[in-house]
Amino acid sequence: MDYRSESTETLRNKCAACFRQFNRKEHLVEHMKISHHSRHEPMCGICKKHCRSFESLREHLIGPLPKQECKNIFSILGCRFCLTILDNSNSRRAHEGRCQFSGVNAGLLARLANLGIHDKLSIDTGRTRGPQVVALACKMVGGGSDGSLDLCARVCIIDEYENIIFHTYVKPTIPVTNYRYETTGIRPEYLREAMPLKQVQKRIQEFLCNGEPMWKIRPKGSRARILVGHGLDHDLDRLQLDYPATMIRDTTQYPPLMKTSKLSNSLKYLTQAYLGYDIQIGIQDPYDDCVATMRLYMRMRGQNHVKEDYPLANNFDLYRQSELERMSPEELLDISRSDYYCWCLDS
C-alpha cells in the first residue's frame, strides 16, 4: 500500500473549517452540507480553526485540553474577553483595557427610575437610518399556591446608549404569594399602585412596533425596533406580548453565545466571561440585565466578518454531487452558509 498517496488523499479531504479529516471526498461534502460552516463562525486567530461557539473557541484556546501551540501564543497575545489575537503584548494590554467593561453605574437616572414610572416610550414616525435597537429585561415575583408561578413585577427598557427609556413596577393580574425579596428587592407596597399589566403590555407593544402593523414587520426596511434580551421568550410570555422572531436578538438562543447547540449560558456567566464584570449579586436590577445584553449584542454585531452574497442561502443545492466532489475544501467552505442569522448583518 502507498501510504504517501493515502495521506495526501486524506489531507485533500480535510475540512477547511473544523479540520476534520475524511477518507473519501463524498464524506467531506456530506459533512459540509450538514455542518453549516461559514465565515460567520468564531475562529481561532492562530490556526484559523472554526468553532461553533465562543465557548468552543475558549476551550480550544484555554480549556482543559487546549491545542498547545494556540494556548502558548494566546497566553501572550490573546484578549481573554473577545478572544482576539493581537500583534504584540502591548497591543494586547491596550485592547484588553478597552474590551473589559466596568460594572454598571446607572447614576441618578436609575435611582429615580427605581422609585416608580419612568416613561419615554414614543413612536418614531421619521425614517432613521437602520432599525433602532432596544433591550428589555423583567424581574419576576411568585404566584400560585407555592409561589413558583412567575409573574412580571418590574420591567425596564433601554436604548443602545444604555439610557433608560421605560421603567415601571407592574401590578400582576393574580395575587402575589412570594415577593422573592432577596433577589428582586420588591415589597408589597411597590405593586399596590403599580401600572396594570395590560397597560404595560399595550405601551411596550406600540413602542416596539413603532407605528407599523404586526403583519407588515420585516427584518429589513421596517420601522419596528430590534429587541435584545436574555430569555425573551419567557419575558414576553409573562408580559403577554407577541413580537416577530425576526426582530428578536436573544442571547440565550444565539449559537455563538451558547454553551452547546441546545444549552444556553447564564447572563451572569456571559457578562463575567465576555464583558469582564459581575452582575446579579444580591438584589438584582433589570437595568443591569438590559445593559449586559445590549453590550453583548453590540459586541456580536461589531464582529468584522467577510460579506457574503445571500448569507442564509443553501448553496449546495445549486450544484450536482459530482461538481461538489471536484471542489477543494476551501471552495466548499466559500459556498457554505450559516444556519443562523449572524448579528453582524444588523450593522
Side-chain angles (χ1 to χ4, degrees):
M1 179 183 292
D2 187 345
Y3 290 101
R4 287 176 300 175
S5 63
E6 182 182 8
S7 176
T8 302
E9 182 67 23
T10 303
L11 286 173
R12 206 162 60 202
N13 300 334
K14 180 180 178 180
C15 175
C18 68
F19 302 160
R20 185 176 171 185
Q21 295 183 347
F22 299 88
N23 292 327
R24 299 171 67 89
K25 191 60 170 287
E26 62 201 69
H27 297 159
L28 171 60
V29 170
E30 189 59 31
H31 164 76
M32 294 301 293
K33 286 181 177 179
I34 63 176
S35 64
H36 300 284
H37 288 309
S38 80
R39 305 297 182 184
H40 293 278
E41 290 178 303
M43 183 179 72
C44 175
I46 302 161
C47 69
K48 308 305 179 186
K49 178 181 179 179
H50 290 228
C51 298
R52 180 65 177 175
S53 67
F54 283 100
E55 202 64 21
S56 299
L57 178 56
R58 190 177 290 274
E59 290 288 313
H60 169 78
L61 292 168
I62 54 176
L65 296 171
K67 184 176 179 182
Q68 196 60 45
E69 180 185 357
C70 295
K71 178 184 178 181
N72 293 341
I73 296 174
F74 183 82
S75 66
I76 302 170
L77 302 177
C79 173
R80 68 184 189 274
F81 302 114
C82 69
L83 309 182
T84 299
I85 305 299
L86 285 304
D87 294 332
N88 54 63
S89 57
N90 289 333
S91 297
R92 180 195 65 80
R93 281 192 293 271
H95 171 90
E96 211 167 65
R98 295 190 301 270
C99 210
Q100 181 177 14
F101 285 88
S102 59
V104 173
N105 180 13
L108 179 62
L109 186 61
R111 288 197 292 274
L112 289 174
N114 289 343
L115 299 178
I117 297 173
H118 185 93
D119 188 350
K120 288 188 176 180
L121 299 183
S122 62
I123 306 300
D124 177 18
T125 54
R127 283 281 180 179
T128 54
R129 186 176 179 180
Q132 298 174 52
V133 182
V134 297
L136 177 147
C138 299
K139 288 303 170 186
M140 309 290 173
V141 292
S145 58
D146 59 356
S148 63
L149 178 65
D150 283 346
L151 305 173
C152 179
R154 191 177 174 190
V155 62
C156 181
I157 299 176
I158 68 167
D159 62 19
E160 58 186 284
Y161 305 106
E162 303 178 7
N163 299 312
I164 296 175
I165 303 173
F166 182 72
H167 171 275
T168 186
Y169 290 103
V170 183
K171 189 171 186 178
T173 55
I174 64 173
V176 177
T177 54
N178 184 356
Y179 285 88
R180 305 174 184 173
Y181 178 78
E182 294 78 9
T183 56
T184 67
I186 296 174
R187 300 181 185 276
E189 55 268 27
Y190 296 175
L191 303 185
R192 286 195 191 111
E193 303 299 324
M195 189 181 291
L197 177 62
K198 287 293 183 185
Q199 186 179 345
V200 173
Q201 181 238 350
K202 184 173 184 293
R203 295 285 293 122
I204 295 176
Q205 184 93 62
E206 290 174 349
F207 172 73
L208 292 177
C209 293
N210 200 24
E212 196 138 43
M214 186 81 73
W215 60 269
K216 198 176 178 182
I217 294 174
R218 299 290 184 271
K220 298 292 183 181
S222 173
R223 290 203 309 271
R225 293 175 166 96
I226 290 174
L227 180 61
V228 175
H230 187 85
L232 281 172
D233 282 353
H234 183 250
D235 285 351
L236 295 180
D237 177 67
R238 296 297 85 193
L239 287 168
Q240 300 176 14
L241 202 156
D242 293 321
Y243 202 55
T246 54
M247 301 302 290
I248 288 175
R249 307 290 182 264
D250 194 330
T251 53
T252 65
Q253 297 178 11
Y254 189 53
L257 292 176
M258 294 177 69
K259 186 179 294 186
T260 68
S261 60
K262 295 183 179 179
L263 189 62
S264 302
N265 279 306
S266 68
L267 183 58
K268 184 182 180 73
Y269 170 79
L270 291 173
T271 304
Q272 195 278 328
Y274 297 101
L275 301 179
Y277 68 95
D278 294 314
I279 62 168
Q280 299 179 348
I281 300 171
I283 292 177
Q284 301 171 15
D285 192 321
Y287 176 79
D288 295 348
D289 293 355
C290 283
V291 170
T293 54
M294 182 62 79
R295 288 175 174 178
L296 288 165
Y297 168 76
M298 297 298 283
R299 179 158 290 176
M300 294 298 105
R301 192 179 77 173
Q303 296 282 306
N304 187 21
H305 294 149
V306 175
K307 301 299 181 186
E308 299 170 327
D309 294 328
Y310 309 108
L312 296 176
N314 181 3
N315 290 330
F316 289 103
D317 289 344
L318 303 177
Y319 298 88
R320 297 188 183 92
Q321 180 71 15
S322 58
E323 292 175 315
L324 292 171
E325 291 180 13
R326 285 196 295 271
M327 290 183 183
S328 68
E330 290 74 20
E331 289 171 330
L332 289 170
L333 179 58
D334 283 339
I335 67 170
S336 183
R337 295 293 182 264
S338 174
D339 59 345
Y340 63 88
Y341 178 86
C342 182
W343 291 350
C344 79
L345 299 174
D346 286 342
S347 59

Short mmCIF file of all heavy atoms in Angstrom, two decimals, residues 303-330:
data_model
loop_
_atom_site.label_atom_id
_atom_site.label_comp_id
_atom_site.label_asym_id
_atom_site.label_seq_id
_atom_site.Cartn_x
_atom_site.Cartn_y
_atom_site.Cartn_z
N GLN A 303 -18.75 42.30 15.08
CA GLN A 303 -17.79 41.34 14.52
C GLN A 303 -17.50 41.68 13.06
O GLN A 303 -18.41 41.94 12.27
CB GLN A 303 -18.36 39.92 14.61
CG GLN A 303 -18.59 39.40 16.02
CD GLN A 303 -17.30 38.94 16.68
OE1 GLN A 303 -16.58 38.11 16.14
NE2 GLN A 303 -17.01 39.47 17.86
N ASN A 304 -16.23 41.65 12.70
CA ASN A 304 -15.81 42.02 11.35
C ASN A 304 -15.73 40.76 10.48
O ASN A 304 -14.68 40.13 10.34
CB ASN A 304 -14.45 42.73 11.39
CG ASN A 304 -14.06 43.27 10.04
OD1 ASN A 304 -14.90 43.48 9.17
ND2 ASN A 304 -12.76 43.49 9.84
N HIS A 305 -16.87 40.39 9.90
CA HIS A 305 -16.94 39.18 9.08
C HIS A 305 -16.90 39.51 7.60
O HIS A 305 -17.29 40.60 7.19
CB HIS A 305 -18.22 38.40 9.38
CG HIS A 305 -18.27 37.85 10.77
ND1 HIS A 305 -19.45 37.68 11.47
CD2 HIS A 305 -17.28 37.43 11.60
CE1 HIS A 305 -19.19 37.19 12.66
NE2 HIS A 305 -17.89 37.02 12.76
N VAL A 306 -16.46 38.54 6.82
CA VAL A 306 -16.46 38.69 5.37
C VAL A 306 -17.90 38.80 4.88
O VAL A 306 -18.77 38.02 5.29
CB VAL A 306 -15.77 37.48 4.70
CG1 VAL A 306 -15.87 37.57 3.18
CG2 VAL A 306 -14.31 37.39 5.12
N LYS A 307 -18.17 39.78 4.04
CA LYS A 307 -19.51 39.94 3.49
C LYS A 307 -19.79 38.86 2.46
O LYS A 307 -18.96 38.55 1.61
CB LYS A 307 -19.66 41.32 2.84
CG LYS A 307 -19.42 42.49 3.80
CD LYS A 307 -20.41 42.48 4.95
CE LYS A 307 -20.19 43.66 5.88
NZ LYS A 307 -21.06 43.60 7.08
N GLU A 308 -20.97 38.26 2.56
CA GLU A 308 -21.35 37.18 1.65
C GLU A 308 -22.62 37.54 0.90
O GLU A 308 -23.50 38.23 1.45
CB GLU A 308 -21.61 35.89 2.44
CG GLU A 308 -20.42 35.36 3.21
CD GLU A 308 -20.80 34.22 4.15
OE1 GLU A 308 -21.93 34.24 4.67
OE2 GLU A 308 -19.97 33.34 4.36
N ASP A 309 -22.72 37.07 -0.33
CA ASP A 309 -23.98 37.17 -1.05
C ASP A 309 -24.92 36.10 -0.52
O ASP A 309 -24.53 34.95 -0.35
CB ASP A 309 -23.76 36.96 -2.56
CG ASP A 309 -22.92 38.07 -3.18
OD1 ASP A 309 -23.04 39.21 -2.70
OD2 ASP A 309 -22.16 37.78 -4.12
N TYR A 310 -26.15 36.49 -0.23
CA TYR A 310 -27.17 35.55 0.27
C TYR A 310 -26.63 34.74 1.45
O TYR A 310 -26.42 33.52 1.36
CB TYR A 310 -27.62 34.61 -0.86
CG TYR A 310 -28.02 35.33 -2.10
CD1 TYR A 310 -27.21 35.29 -3.24
CD2 TYR A 310 -29.18 36.09 -2.15
CE1 TYR A 310 -27.56 35.98 -4.40
CE2 TYR A 310 -29.55 36.78 -3.30
CZ TYR A 310 -28.73 36.72 -4.42
OH TYR A 310 -29.08 37.40 -5.55
N PRO A 311 -26.39 35.38 2.60
CA PRO A 311 -25.73 34.73 3.74
C PRO A 311 -26.50 33.56 4.35
O PRO A 311 -25.93 32.76 5.08
CB PRO A 311 -25.58 35.87 4.76
CG PRO A 311 -26.55 36.91 4.35
CD PRO A 311 -26.66 36.81 2.87
N LEU A 312 -27.81 33.46 4.08
CA LEU A 312 -28.59 32.35 4.64
C LEU A 312 -29.01 31.34 3.58
O LEU A 312 -29.84 30.47 3.84
CB LEU A 312 -29.82 32.90 5.37
CG LEU A 312 -29.52 33.77 6.59
CD1 LEU A 312 -30.80 34.34 7.17
CD2 LEU A 312 -28.77 32.97 7.66
N ALA A 313 -28.46 31.44 2.37
CA ALA A 313 -28.86 30.55 1.28
C ALA A 313 -28.21 29.18 1.44
O ALA A 313 -27.13 29.04 2.01
CB ALA A 313 -28.47 31.17 -0.06
N ASN A 314 -28.87 28.15 0.91
CA ASN A 314 -28.30 26.81 0.87
C ASN A 314 -27.69 26.60 -0.52
O ASN A 314 -28.33 26.11 -1.43
CB ASN A 314 -29.38 25.76 1.15
CG ASN A 314 -28.81 24.34 1.15
OD1 ASN A 314 -27.61 24.14 1.00
ND2 ASN A 314 -29.68 23.36 1.30
N ASN A 315 -26.43 26.98 -0.66
CA ASN A 315 -25.80 26.96 -1.97
C ASN A 315 -25.51 25.56 -2.48
O ASN A 315 -25.30 25.37 -3.68
CB ASN A 315 -24.49 27.77 -1.93
CG ASN A 315 -24.75 29.25 -1.79
OD1 ASN A 315 -25.77 29.75 -2.24
ND2 ASN A 315 -23.83 29.96 -1.15
N PHE A 316 -25.46 24.57 -1.61
CA PHE A 316 -25.12 23.21 -2.05
C PHE A 316 -26.18 22.65 -2.99
O PHE A 316 -25.88 21.81 -3.83
CB PHE A 316 -24.95 22.30 -0.84
CG PHE A 316 -23.70 22.59 -0.06
CD1 PHE A 316 -23.75 23.29 1.14
CD2 PHE A 316 -22.46 22.18 -0.52
CE1 PHE A 316 -22.60 23.57 1.85
CE2 PHE A 316 -21.30 22.46 0.19
CZ PHE A 316 -21.37 23.16 1.38
N ASP A 317 -27.40 23.12 -2.88
CA ASP A 317 -28.47 22.65 -3.77
C ASP A 317 -28.28 23.14 -5.20
O ASP A 317 -28.95 22.64 -6.12
CB ASP A 317 -29.84 23.11 -3.26
CG ASP A 317 -30.25 22.36 -2.00
OD1 ASP A 317 -29.64 21.31 -1.70
OD2 ASP A 317 -31.18 22.83 -1.31
N LEU A 318 -27.39 24.11 -5.40
CA LEU A 318 -27.18 24.66 -6.74
C LEU A 318 -26.19 23.84 -7.55
O LEU A 318 -26.00 24.11 -8.74
CB LEU A 318 -26.66 26.10 -6.63
CG LEU A 318 -27.54 27.09 -5.84
CD1 LEU A 318 -26.85 28.45 -5.76
CD2 LEU A 318 -28.91 27.22 -6.50
N TYR A 319 -25.56 22.85 -6.92
CA TYR A 319 -24.52 22.08 -7.60
C TYR A 319 -24.87 20.59 -7.60
O TYR A 319 -25.52 20.07 -6.68
CB TYR A 319 -23.17 22.26 -6.89
CG TYR A 319 -22.66 23.67 -6.88
CD1 TYR A 319 -23.02 24.55 -5.86
CD2 TYR A 319 -21.81 24.13 -7.88
CE1 TYR A 319 -22.55 25.86 -5.83
CE2 TYR A 319 -21.33 25.44 -7.86
CZ TYR A 319 -21.71 26.29 -6.84
OH TYR A 319 -21.24 27.58 -6.82
N ARG A 320 -24.41 19.90 -8.64
CA ARG A 320 -24.50 18.44 -8.67
C ARG A 320 -23.47 17.86 -7.72
O ARG A 320 -22.46 18.49 -7.40
CB ARG A 320 -24.24 17.90 -10.09
CG ARG A 320 -25.25 18.35 -11.13
CD ARG A 320 -24.99 17.59 -12.43
NE ARG A 320 -25.90 18.02 -13.49
CZ ARG A 320 -25.62 18.98 -14.36
NH1 ARG A 320 -24.45 19.61 -14.31
NH2 ARG A 320 -26.50 19.31 -15.31
N GLN A 321 -23.73 16.63 -7.27
CA GLN A 321 -22.81 15.96 -6.36
C GLN A 321 -21.42 15.85 -6.98
O GLN A 321 -20.41 16.09 -6.31
CB GLN A 321 -23.34 14.57 -6.00
CG GLN A 321 -22.46 13.77 -5.05
CD GLN A 321 -22.47 14.32 -3.62
OE1 GLN A 321 -23.32 15.13 -3.27
NE2 GLN A 321 -21.51 13.89 -2.81
N SER A 322 -21.35 15.54 -8.25
CA SER A 322 -20.05 15.39 -8.91
C SER A 322 -19.29 16.72 -8.94
O SER A 322 -18.07 16.75 -8.82
CB SER A 322 -20.24 14.87 -10.33
OG SER A 322 -21.07 15.74 -11.09
N GLU A 323 -20.02 17.82 -9.10
CA GLU A 323 -19.38 19.14 -9.09
C GLU A 323 -18.83 19.47 -7.70
O GLU A 323 -17.74 20.03 -7.57
CB GLU A 323 -20.37 20.21 -9.52
CG GLU A 323 -20.80 20.12 -10.97
CD GLU A 323 -21.88 21.14 -11.33
OE1 GLU A 323 -22.84 21.29 -10.54
OE2 GLU A 323 -21.75 21.77 -12.39
N LEU A 324 -19.59 19.13 -6.67
CA LEU A 324 -19.15 19.38 -5.30
C LEU A 324 -17.89 18.57 -4.97
O LEU A 324 -16.98 19.07 -4.31
CB LEU A 324 -20.26 19.05 -4.32
CG LEU A 324 -21.50 19.95 -4.36
CD1 LEU A 324 -22.61 19.38 -3.49
CD2 LEU A 324 -21.16 21.37 -3.90
N GLU A 325 -17.84 17.33 -5.45
CA GLU A 325 -16.70 16.47 -5.14
C GLU A 325 -15.44 16.90 -5.86
O GLU A 325 -14.32 16.52 -5.47
CB GLU A 325 -17.04 15.02 -5.47
CG GLU A 325 -18.10 14.43 -4.53
CD GLU A 325 -18.46 12.99 -4.85
OE1 GLU A 325 -17.71 12.36 -5.64
OE2 GLU A 325 -19.47 12.50 -4.32
N ARG A 326 -15.57 17.70 -6.91
CA ARG A 326 -14.39 18.23 -7.61
C ARG A 326 -13.86 19.51 -6.96
O ARG A 326 -12.78 19.97 -7.27
CB ARG A 326 -14.72 18.48 -9.08
CG ARG A 326 -14.81 17.22 -9.93
CD ARG A 326 -14.74 17.53 -11.40
NE ARG A 326 -15.87 18.33 -11.86
CZ ARG A 326 -17.01 17.82 -12.31
NH1 ARG A 326 -17.17 16.49 -12.37
NH2 ARG A 326 -18.00 18.60 -12.71
N MET A 327 -14.64 20.09 -6.04
CA MET A 327 -14.21 21.32 -5.38
C MET A 327 -13.17 21.03 -4.30
O MET A 327 -13.17 19.96 -3.68
CB MET A 327 -15.41 22.02 -4.73
CG MET A 327 -16.39 22.61 -5.71
SD MET A 327 -17.71 23.50 -4.82
CE MET A 327 -18.74 24.01 -6.20
N SER A 328 -12.30 21.99 -4.07
CA SER A 328 -11.34 21.88 -2.97
C SER A 328 -12.05 22.17 -1.65
O SER A 328 -13.13 22.76 -1.64
CB SER A 328 -10.20 22.89 -3.18
OG SER A 328 -10.69 24.22 -3.01
N PRO A 329 -11.47 21.78 -0.52
CA PRO A 329 -12.08 22.11 0.78
C PRO A 329 -12.33 23.60 0.96
O PRO A 329 -13.35 24.01 1.53
CB PRO A 329 -11.05 21.59 1.79
CG PRO A 329 -10.38 20.46 1.08
CD PRO A 329 -10.29 20.90 -0.36
N GLU A 330 -11.42 24.44 0.47
CA GLU A 330 -11.60 25.90 0.58
C GLU A 330 -12.78 26.37 -0.25
O GLU A 330 -13.53 27.27 0.17
CB GLU A 330 -10.32 26.62 0.15
CG GLU A 330 -9.14 26.47 1.09
CD GLU A 330 -8.50 25.08 1.03
OE1 GLU A 330 -8.71 24.37 0.01
OE2 GLU A 330 -7.81 24.71 2.00
#
